[in-house]
Amino acid sequence: MATLPTLHDDLVLSGEVHYFRLDPSDWEARLDAAVATGVTTVATYIPWLVHELPDGSFDLTGRTRAQLDLGRFLDLCADRGLAVIGRPGPFVMAELKHEGLPSSLFRDHPEVVPPTWDGRTPEVTVVDYTHPAYLAACRRWYEAVIPLLADRTPSRGGTVVGVQLDNEIGMLPWVTNSPDLSDRTVAELVAWLVAAEGEQEVKARYGLDPADAAAWGPALRSPGEDVVLALHRDLGRFTREKYAAYVRHLESWARELGVDVPFLVNVHGCWGGAASMFPLGVSQLWKTWEGRTDVLPGTDYYIGDLTLEKLPGLWASNAFVAATTVPGQPTGSMEFEVGSGDYGESLGVSSGPEAGPLKLQTCLAQGNTFVNYYLLTGGRNPLLFEPVGDGNDRVAFTGERHGFAAPLGPEGRPSPGYARLADATTAATAHAGLLRAARPETPPVTLGFVPDHYMTEYRYPGSDRDRRFVAELERFRGSGPREILTRALAVGGYAPDAVNLQDDGPLDLAHDRVLALAPTPYLDDEIQARVADWVRDGGRLLLHGPVPTRDMLGRPATRLADALGITVGDRRDERPGYFPSVVPADDRLAMAEVRGGFVQPLGVPDGADVFARVAAADGSPAAGEPCVVQVAHGAGRALVVAADLPCLLPVWERLLAGLGAEPLVRPTSSVPGVVVVPTATPDGTRVVHTLNVSPWDAEVTLERDGRDLLAEPLRLRARTGAWLVQEPGDAHARLGWIGGTECAR
């Protein structure tokens, strides 16, 4: 048997194959097809719903249906040298009814379904994850399935290299705005707050006696405007801890039952075919893997084609996940979309054949070390053991055929995009050692990640105050207004990573880096002070968006502005008939007057360097207030861009150069939209990923340390990528691989 890839040490490329949706006579052919695609690993959900029989027992051996013989499927994977990632839930989603939970759970334990806002019952499968009855049922399922996986880990001669704990925890409560607000959970929340902040603080905040248990449930299910922001923050932070406690339950059982390989947590968050909201899932779940090198976060990416519009969301999401990990804790993707996107079989959505390879290279360039293609092969949904009269009586709601958008369809036939995906996968597998060893080089710019800015999964429907608060967070957080900040950095050649600004203690960031932060108007004083202290000690800050003036409870909070000596004027937003605009203060930015979605006039200290001003009514730049300024603070300095500037790359380049930030590898492209990510191995070999995210063919030159990296320009087709390899001592890089070529398959 070939050496198995491991999640900690190797590049793991995987394909999702659902054994329970295939006739066992097709298992070998589908696994052989997976091998031909280039993957070294197979992942599969193992659904509780599918394996539980009407009498409450479990069939994992095929005694009632041959396709339930999980052990045989895993052994066939081992026969081919394929590693396996098992995904036993309890939740699995996968378009299964009840998200893969058995109907018996809800029949026997209706109490696990909690009330939500205003006491209503959720319309989807929402449960109290730590309810004793739910945990007891989950334990029974784990006792049935986990030993079978544990017996096939590499230490016992098998190929199961990882086990995922649950799936997309918190996703359904988020997308339906249905938080768990049962009396039991509310009592836990109150006890948690009292332990953290004291009884008097909690009483003052909510106007309720913590000892009056009967009052809290109704009050928090229908909160008043005076407490709604407090509940928004407290509920979000408490739920993070609750999810972490749930994962620890599952983890402890799996270890007790023999699992000795790493665990994975699958993170959700894509919305509307983009990853802009994905960090919401990171915000919900980062405590589940915080500081745990044996618990690995894996993303769910469903964005269709990777375009310039979608680039910032994907880039920031990868960076923010990495920012919540510690050294030695790999990151990757557990549901990496590689199909056509036509999930409704309507020919209404279609991703091109370049989509999967381009997204794959982007994630590998940013440091992902495991990627699971979802779904690699289609199949068929079996019937339920007992009909329920729901219209199809199958285990899933997609009909009989499933996975019709996959590279290998329900009948095993390749899709039009299969050849391109197989070419990229085979190339990555062939160079797996180099790509795994080559880690992103330290970039000149780091994005600031504030998890609480993405804590918008729950908002009370009856509150205008909560609605406005969430709208402000969604508009300005993470990548800044219109996602300009991340787009300008990624396309400008800066390849930013990220830092979690809610980590405890001083900001752990070298002072030779630029911290790029899109803060929203709400930022807790604690974080403002952490950033201000870092600047004072020699750091360089790029602040893009409204200068924060309030904390997450809506109270005044101006520590950062005060430290920088800035006074903040009223923000002016665009509206019908009013077009806030910015004019350069001089010719340094080489910029004409530009319209912005907002401008915010600033009062600045003596000696501040003004780059741009709010356009005055008469068009005179001298008459406008500053809105783009650089100020000194101690040994450091900050550039405050309190305006919605467009993505004019030369303007951002000049602003960043003023802070001393220069790309490690400077791209020059015939079209905008080329992303360059320099990586390096410990022995000094450099791998430079060059990605053309634009819809136009590009001619690209690359410069490093004042020298051309290539002997001649690189020509990249639209939405394709290449990687270049430069050995130590070589004057030029050579082409390691280029996508977009015709594949003979």
Side-chain angles (χ1 to χ4, degrees), residues 251-616:
E251 178 190 5
S252 66
W253 300 340
R255 287 282 183 237
E256 176 191 337
L257 294 166
V259 172
D260 57 3
V261 294
F263 295 114
L264 300 112
V265 171
N266 193 30
V267 191
H268 54 272
C270 287
W271 186 273
S276 299
M277 294 182 71
F278 189 88
L280 189 153
V282 184
S283 169
Q284 284 185 299
L285 296 179
W286 67 288
K287 292 290 184 179
T288 67
W289 64 77
E290 183 184 25
R292 299 290 310 280
T293 58
D294 58 339
V295 180
L296 316 182
T299 56
D300 274 20
Y301 284 149
Y302 293 91
I303 65 172
D305 292 315
L306 178 57
T307 63
L308 277 167
E309 179 184 14
K310 298 177 182 181
L311 173 66
L314 179 62
W315 188 279
S317 296
N318 278 329
F320 291 168
V321 171
T324 62
T325 62
V326 295
Q329 189 174 18
T331 65
S333 181
M334 280 308 298
E335 290 191 25
F336 188 84
E337 181 187 39
V338 290
S340 69
D342 184 20
Y343 302 118
E345 207 169 20
S346 64
L347 289 181
V349 180
S350 182
S351 297
E354 73 283 354
L358 185 61
K359 291 181 291 188
L360 173 65
Q361 191 182 354
T362 302
C363 290
L364 295 182
Q366 286 192 262
N368 280 204
T369 60
F370 58 90
V371 175
N372 180 44
Y373 296 162
Y374 194 94
L375 188 64
L376 180 60
T377 69
R380 282 182 158 76
N381 291 310
L383 292 168
L384 294 164
F385 279 102
E386 293 184 327
V388 293
D390 63 359
N392 71 0
D393 286 325
R394 296 186 180 274
V395 299
F397 52 77
T398 52
E400 180 181 355
R401 297 172 72 249
H402 185 86
F404 23 77
L408 295 165
E411 292 72 40
R413 290 190 292 268
S415 72
Y418 172 81
R420 286 264 190 99
L421 179 67
D423 179 66
T425 307
T426 301
T429 300
H431 297 87
L434 176 64
L435 295 176
R436 178 61 176 85
R439 299 292 85 205
E441 293 191 65
T442 301
V445 182
T446 293
L447 292 166
F449 175 44
V450 181
D452 280 2
H453 283 166
Y454 285 90
M455 198 167 60
T456 53
E457 63 269 36
Y458 309 134
R459 75 285 303 267
Y460 179 49
S463 170
D464 286 338
R465 189 183 188 195
D466 206 7
R467 177 186 55 77
R468 292 192 301 269
F469 174 71
V470 168
E472 290 281 86
L473 297 182
E474 291 179 341
R475 179 179 178 187
F476 294 113
R477 65 192 178 189
S479 290
R482 296 188 292 149
E483 300 185 282
I484 295 296
L485 181 61
T486 300
R487 186 177 293 109
L489 291 171
V491 178
Y494 299 91
D497 60 2
V499 62
N500 183 0
L501 295 180
Q502 287 186 229
D503 275 340
D504 294 333
L507 179 54
D508 184 17
L509 185 66
H511 290 126
D512 62 353
R513 314 278 287 282
V514 170
L515 173 63
L517 174 61
T520 86
Y522 301 91
L523 187 66
D524 285 340
D525 258 339
E526 179 185 48
I527 298 175
Q528 293 191 38
R530 185 176 295 134
V531 172
D533 290 347
W534 177 79
V535 174
R536 181 201 61 208
D537 294 340
R540 292 165 294 157
L541 172 67
L542 170 60
L543 197 70
H544 180 220
V547 179
T549 57
R550 295 191 173 273
D551 67 11
M552 296 295 286
L553 296 180
R555 302 172 302 196
T558 58
R559 292 280 293 275
L560 182 57
D562 294 344
L564 299 179
I566 290 172
T567 57
V568 182
D570 292 335
R571 196 175 84 214
R572 304 169 191 173
D573 291 303
E574 64 181 355
R575 61 181 185 275
Y578 178 69
F579 315 101
S581 299
V582 177
V583 293
D586 49 43
D587 60 2
R588 285 179 294 172
L589 295 184
M591 180 182 80
E593 177 186 308
V594 295
R595 173 186 168 187
F598 82 94
V599 294
Q600 187 173 49
L602 304 173
V604 299
D606 292 341
D609 190 359
V610 178
F611 284 84
R613 299 177 180 272
V614 179

Side-chain angles (χ1 to χ4, degrees), residues 181-231:
L181 292 172
S182 67
D183 287 341
R184 198 190 77 86
T185 297
V186 167
E188 288 181 338
L189 167 60
V190 174
W192 177 79
L193 283 171
V194 169
E197 303 185 40
E199 189 171 313
Q200 292 308 310
E201 170 61 27
V202 174
K203 185 174 183 179
R205 184 180 302 168
Y206 288 98
L208 294 172
D209 184 347
D212 186 5
W216 280 87
L220 297 194
R221 286 191 283 271
S222 302
E225 292 286 68
D226 57 330
V227 301
V228 72
L229 292 192
L231 177 59

